[in-house]
Amino acid sequence: MKLASSPQSSVAKQVEKSEKISYGLGNLAANLLLTTANTYMVYYYTDIAGMTAAIVGALLLVAKIIDGVFDLSIGVFLDSTANRGSEKARPWIKKMAIPFGIALILMFSVPNLTSGFKSIYAFITYILAMFIFSAISVPYNTMISLSSSDPHVRSEFSSYRNMLGSVGGWLLTVITLPIVAFFDDGRRGWFLMAIVYGVIAILAYLICYRNTCERVIPTISKVQADDKIIDKIKAVSKNKYWWLVLIIMILTFGTAGLGGVNVYFAKYVMGSASYVGALGTANYIPMILGSIVLIPLSARFSKKGIVMSGLLLNALGCLVIMIGVQNITMVLIGSVLKGAGSATIFGLIYAMFGDTVDYGEWKFGKRAEGVTFSAGSFSEKIGSGLGVVILGFVLDMGGYVGGRAVQTVAAISAIKFTFVYLPLMIDFVCIGLLSFYHLDKIYATIRTDLERVTVKNN
């Protein structure tokens, strides 16, 4: 790994740890919806609401395609003149916090009516939840670029984002099913669980809004007030590093979407659905600890080198599980390795997006945080959504029948493929793509040139 060459700027000294923690709470809130959906949505739709896996897969695929377009439109709006003001992203966290909580509750409220009505209700509430998720997560993610121009501070914001998000994800895998069982194992239990999560999400977002701020003012774009949004979109579309990070994010979040297979793997391969908590703990605890270690590491080593190491660790974890897929200890060891590897990927990927913003401004004279980071939300939802869709279709192809105590050999094979082999293939593809990422080598030059322009314009 190459040593990072850019020193901390004066902006770094202005950012207190309490602000970074408050920022991280926003991702904890986001995971109350997204991780819960990724982990339990297919299971809820098939085993609780009584929908077939094929219908669920088709429903989620169509919803994700529609929602992806909405993601990009949010980014365009953030960069447009209609959103000009002292802060461009942070105010939307406050505005969308309550709708976010309500949407989470509606998603787990499918009524026990005809199959056609259930499908329509599920589609409407799911896509509404994802729309609102876009409206709050695009501004939230954009704040990494706007909170500081220092790459190390951005890495810290991204690390705290992943750390608190991982804490939330771990808790969700451990406590969701017990909470549902406490209230009622059926529809009522899932509905009341969603109410609890919705209220917590609202409070977490409001704390995030209250304790954060935006500091970065564009260097080149600020003197070009007449910039057309189409020009910014064209500039972003020519940004090769933006494309690389985007594709890697879609693929890695695809593995997060495949996380919904955990409940099936625990129940039908490990022998009990109660192992979901153990799988979640084995994955998330290393991710949380890795996020802490990542903060000093990101000050010494390049983002590319750290993320590449994480991908290799992920692949090693998959290989360990592949060797001992019938052995609970081996499965948990492999999950620990995957969790540690994921800490580097999810901990730095949004900071890498922030660096592509600066590259775009330096290379093409256009700064477009909104359009750039809308791709982050786009890739997060499209990737995780495709993972959920693939899970639904693979289960259907394997002949999985929801609620059946014993599944066929083909269904068990489909579960194993989705849990082990598909994530391994994705890791190798991401490693190949990341080998073309060279932005870390020239970033110090980019910041020097941009700061020189700032001085000249002022």
Side-chain angles (χ1 to χ4, degrees):
M1 288 186 284
K2 295 183 179 297
L3 291 176
S5 57
S6 53
Q8 287 195 16
S9 68
S10 59
V11 177
K13 300 177 182 178
Q14 301 172 18
V15 183
E16 300 292 336
K17 182 178 290 188
S18 59
E19 180 176 346
K20 298 166 189 172
I21 294 173
S22 296
Y23 179 76
L25 286 175
N27 197 35
L28 187 151
N31 277 334
L32 287 168
L33 189 153
L34 194 64
T35 300
T36 304
N38 290 342
T39 306
Y40 297 109
M41 207 75 250
V42 175
Y43 178 78
Y44 172 78
Y45 283 152
T46 57
D47 289 43
I48 305 301
M51 300 165 61
T52 67
I55 290 177
V56 171
L59 180 155
L60 297 179
L61 177 60
V62 174
K64 288 299 180 182
I65 292 173
I66 296 173
D67 192 36
V69 177
F70 185 71
D71 264 356
L72 299 177
S73 69
I74 292 292
V76 169
F77 173 75
L78 286 180
D79 283 330
S80 68
T81 56
N83 193 46
R84 289 269 165 86
S86 57
E87 292 185 316
K88 65 187 295 184
R90 178 172 162 269
W92 293 100
I93 295 176
K94 179 181 180 181
K95 293 177 182 179
M96 300 308 300
I98 293 177
F100 182 93
I102 294 173
L104 195 163
I105 296 168
L106 291 176
M107 197 164 57
F108 286 94
S109 308
V110 178
N112 189 19
L113 298 173
T114 64
S115 59
F117 186 87
K118 285 189 290 189
S119 299
I120 293 172
Y121 182 90
F123 177 80
I124 292 174
T125 53
Y126 185 84
I127 200 168
L128 173 65
M130 292 301 111
F131 274 11
I132 294 175
F133 182 89
S134 293
I136 197 167
S137 64
V138 173
Y140 170 77
N141 293 330
T142 301
M143 286 179 62
I144 287 182
S145 179
L146 295 171
S147 296
S148 175
S149 59
D150 186 279
H152 177 60
V153 177
R154 286 177 178 171
S155 295
E156 287 188 337
F157 269 100
S158 189
S159 295
Y160 276 97
R161 176 190 182 280
N162 184 55
M163 186 192 311
L164 272 296
S166 298
V167 169
W170 168 57
L171 290 174
L172 291 172
T173 60
V174 172
I175 69 174
T176 297
L177 292 181
I179 287 177
V180 171
F182 173 78
F183 288 124
D184 179 356
D185 269 330
R187 295 171 182 271
R188 181 174 177 270
W190 287 92
F191 173 68
L192 293 176
M193 173 276 296
I195 291 177
V196 172
Y197 287 180
V199 172
I200 295 173
I202 292 170
L203 295 175
Y205 269 130
L206 292 178
I207 293 172
C208 175
Y209 166 79
R210 178 183 175 85
N211 296 332
T212 56
C213 65
E214 299 178 15
R215 297 177 180 84
V216 176
I217 300 174
T219 57
I220 296 175
S221 328
K222 72 173 184 178
V223 296
Q224 296 179 350
D226 294 331
D227 273 351
K228 295 180 179 178
I229 195 66
I230 189 64
D231 294 330
K232 292 186 177 183
I233 294 174
K234 289 179 180 178
V236 171
S237 69
K238 292 186 290 185
N239 189 327
K240 60 183 178 181
Y241 294 118
W242 176 82
W243 279 109
L244 279 173
V245 177
L246 174 67
I247 296 171
I248 290 171
M249 279 195 72
I250 290 174
L251 291 172
T252 53
F253 275 104
T255 62
L258 293 173
V261 75
N262 286 8
V263 65
Y264 299 99
F265 188 85
K267 185 175 182 178
Y268 296 108
V269 179
M270 299 179 75
S272 172
S274 63
Y275 281 117
V276 170
L279 286 174
T281 299
N283 189 258
Y284 279 109
I285 294 299
M287 195 180 297
I288 295 166
L289 297 177
S291 298
I292 298 172
V293 175
L294 196 60
I295 295 173
L297 284 179
S298 63
R300 296 188 57 197
F301 301 105
S302 69
K303 296 182 182 71
K304 174 183 176 178
I306 296 173
V307 173
M308 183 75 80
S309 299
L311 288 167
L312 290 171
L313 203 56
N314 257 4
L316 178 61
C318 289
L319 291 173
V320 170
I321 295 174
M322 187 187 303
I323 294 170
V325 70
Q326 298 296 140
N327 186 299
I328 293 175
T329 301
M330 293 286 280
V331 170
L332 293 178
I333 291 173
S335 297
V336 167
L337 293 173
K338 289 175 64 178
S342 296
T344 69
I345 302 165
F346 296 120
L348 289 180
I349 199 73
Y350 275 97
M352 293 171 75
F353 255 126
D355 292 348
T356 70
V357 172
D358 291 338
Y359 174 79
E361 184 178 14
W362 176 74
K363 184 75 173 178
F364 306 109
K366 308 289 181 184
R367 187 175 185 89
E369 288 98 345
V371 174
T372 300
F373 276 90
S374 68
S377 177
F378 169 83
S379 60
E380 191 169 344
K381 286 195 299 182
I382 291 296
S384 60
L386 284 174
V388 173
V389 169
I390 291 170
L391 171 60
F393 280 123
V394 171
L395 288 177
D396 188 65
M397 289 175 62
Y400 175 84
V401 179
R404 180 180 289 177
V406 178
Q407 300 293 334
T408 64
V409 173
I412 299 297
S413 296
I415 292 170
K416 291 179 180 178
F417 172 78
T418 311
F419 187 82
V420 184
Y421 295 93
L422 191 52
L424 179 62
M425 290 187 284
I426 291 173
D427 286 332
F428 283 130
V429 171
C430 288
I431 289 170
L433 290 171
L434 192 59
S435 65
F436 295 99
Y437 183 89
H438 307 300
L439 183 53
D440 288 337
K441 295 180 180 180
I442 62 173
Y443 189 79
T445 300
I446 291 173
R447 283 309 318 166
T448 299
D449 290 347
L450 291 178
E451 287 165 10
R452 186 182 298 120
V453 172
T454 301
V455 173
K456 181 179 178 180
N457 288 338
N458 290 335

